[in-house]
């Protein structure tokens, strides 16, 4: 059983036209009646908004900054892995306690700091590039 998205009346699953209000629609597998203003519609709108924003963000980045950001994320991930591997190794080897977590946190922090620095540098390059293009347009006009 499904419900008409327009008037909410219950209809057979394979219905493509509402018996009550005459609305045409594709059968929806979700049996919950969703009025147009419900949270579900808003959610999907939001996710498309986020996707659009992400696509725009990627476009704005340009190849260089995208690569730089990929490197930043990779550096963070690698350091995170190194930190965890060394933590596990130290625990397995029965390394005397106390320094284990300092070592782990140091590696973790190093990864985050390097990642953030690379990320911010790529943003700075992006910003300077935009500034440069704006100046170029200004001098042309
Ligand atoms: Zn209807």
């Amino acid at each position: 059983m499904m419900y008409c998205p327009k008037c909410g009346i219950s209809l057979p699953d394979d219905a493509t036209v509402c018996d009550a209000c005459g609305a045409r629609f594709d059968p929806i597998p979700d049996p919950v009646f969703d009025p147009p203003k419900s949270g579900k519609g808003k959610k999907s709108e939001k996710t498309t908004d986020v996707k659009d924003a992400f696509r725009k963000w990627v476009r704005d980045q340009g190849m260089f900054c995208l690569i730089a950001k990929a490197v930043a994320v990779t550096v963070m991930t690698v350091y995170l892995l190194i930190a965890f591997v060394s933590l596990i190794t130290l625990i397995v080897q029965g390394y005397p306690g106390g320094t284990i977590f300092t070592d782990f946190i140091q590696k973790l922090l190093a990864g985050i700091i390097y990642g953030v620095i690379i990320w911010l540098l790529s943003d700075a390059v992006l910003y300077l590039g935009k500034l440069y293009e704006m100046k170029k347009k200004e001098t042309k006009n």
Side-chain angles (χ1 to χ4, degrees):
M1 195 155 82
M2 57 177 279
Y3 296 89
C4 170
K6 203 174 169 190
C7 67
I9 196 172
S10 61
L11 296 165
D13 272 336
D14 53 351
T16 53
V17 179
C18 176
D19 294 334
C21 70
R24 290 183 160 273
F25 47 84
D26 297 323
I28 311 160
D30 190 352
V32 181
F33 170 56
D34 247 345
K37 277 179 190 170
S38 81
K40 209 186 170 191
K42 267 185 188 171
K43 243 185 201 170
S44 62
E45 259 173 43
K46 247 187 189 174
T47 44
T48 50
D49 277 356
V50 169
K51 271 183 193 166
D52 282 347
F54 181 70
R55 276 200 206 109
K56 192 182 174 296
W57 180 81
V58 168
R59 262 206 312 274
D60 284 347
Q61 294 298 308
M63 193 49 91
F64 174 79
C65 292
L66 265 188
I67 291 170
K69 285 190 166 74
V71 170
V73 173
T74 310
V75 166
M76 272 195 248
T77 314
V78 167
Y79 265 92
L80 190 75
L81 283 176
I82 291 171
F84 270 109
V85 166
S86 75
L87 176 72
I88 290 163
T89 313
L90 288 177
I91 287 172
V92 167
Q93 286 174 349
Y95 195 79
T99 51
I100 290 179
F101 285 100
T102 349
D103 184 69
F104 172 70
I105 286 164
Q106 268 174 5
K107 287 196 173 79
L108 205 66
L109 279 179
I112 290 169
I113 288 166
Y114 289 141
V116 167
I117 286 172
I118 295 168
W119 187 287
L120 289 180
L121 275 177
S122 83
D123 265 346
V125 169
L126 189 74
Y127 178 73
L128 286 175
K130 270 185 185 163
L131 218 66
Y132 177 72
E133 269 179 23
M134 266 164 65
K135 278 260 167 72
K136 233 164 84 176
K137 270 182 192 166
E138 267 175 26
T139 48
K140 264 187 184 175
N141 290 341

